[in-house]
Amino acid sequence: MEKTKTVVSIGGKEYTICGTDSAEYIHRVALHVNKKLTELKKANPDLNNIQLAMLTSLNIADEYMKTSDELAAAKKELERAQKEVERLEKGAGTTNRTTPFNKR
């Protein structure tokens, strides 16, 4: 896949990002980072840029980890539910057998 260069703005500074993802996707990621950085800057106006960047990184990593854990739990629940459906279908297949009527 071809690499593209995309210019994004984070914290009032422009960065050129090179990647194989679409420019639209890279802009979405940058907007998310910028939004978090702006929120944290408003809540913590005394932080310097390095502290703000580190706090932003930690907050985004926290979101990622929680989402990843939720996804893993949802996959386990889906697998459990699929096994239960299979079990019920097999049980229904053996206990609900009907004998066809004899035609006279």
Side-chain angles (χ1 to χ4, degrees):
M1 186 167 246
E2 189 175 318
K3 286 190 174 185
T4 58
K5 290 184 178 182
T6 306
V7 178
V8 298
S9 178
I10 300 172
K13 295 183 181 183
E14 288 192 348
Y15 298 91
T16 301
I17 308 296
C18 294
T20 56
D21 291 307
S22 69
E24 179 186 346
Y25 176 78
I26 293 170
H27 279 285
R28 282 181 48 222
V29 171
L31 283 171
H32 181 70
V33 172
N34 191 58
K35 178 184 172 192
K36 284 292 173 189
L37 188 130
T38 302
E39 289 172 0
L40 291 168
K41 189 173 188 173
K42 285 180 184 177
N44 304 282
D46 295 332
L47 294 180
N48 65 39
N49 287 342
I50 293 173
Q51 291 170 322
L52 187 59
M54 186 59 64
L55 187 59
T56 301
S57 298
L58 287 169
N59 274 265
I60 291 172
D62 177 57
E63 287 176 350
Y64 170 79
M65 296 297 290
K66 286 178 180 173
T67 301
S68 181
D69 290 347
E70 288 172 6
L71 178 59
K75 284 181 178 180
K76 278 186 178 180
E77 178 60 23
L78 177 60
E79 287 174 13
R80 188 205 61 74
Q82 286 173 331
K83 286 178 182 175
E84 180 67 10
V85 167
E86 288 174 12
R87 185 187 69 74
L88 291 171
E89 285 175 344
K90 284 180 184 175
T94 58
T95 58
N96 289 338
R97 288 190 184 154
T98 56
T99 307
F101 292 106
N102 290 332
K103 292 186 180 180
R104 295 183 196 222

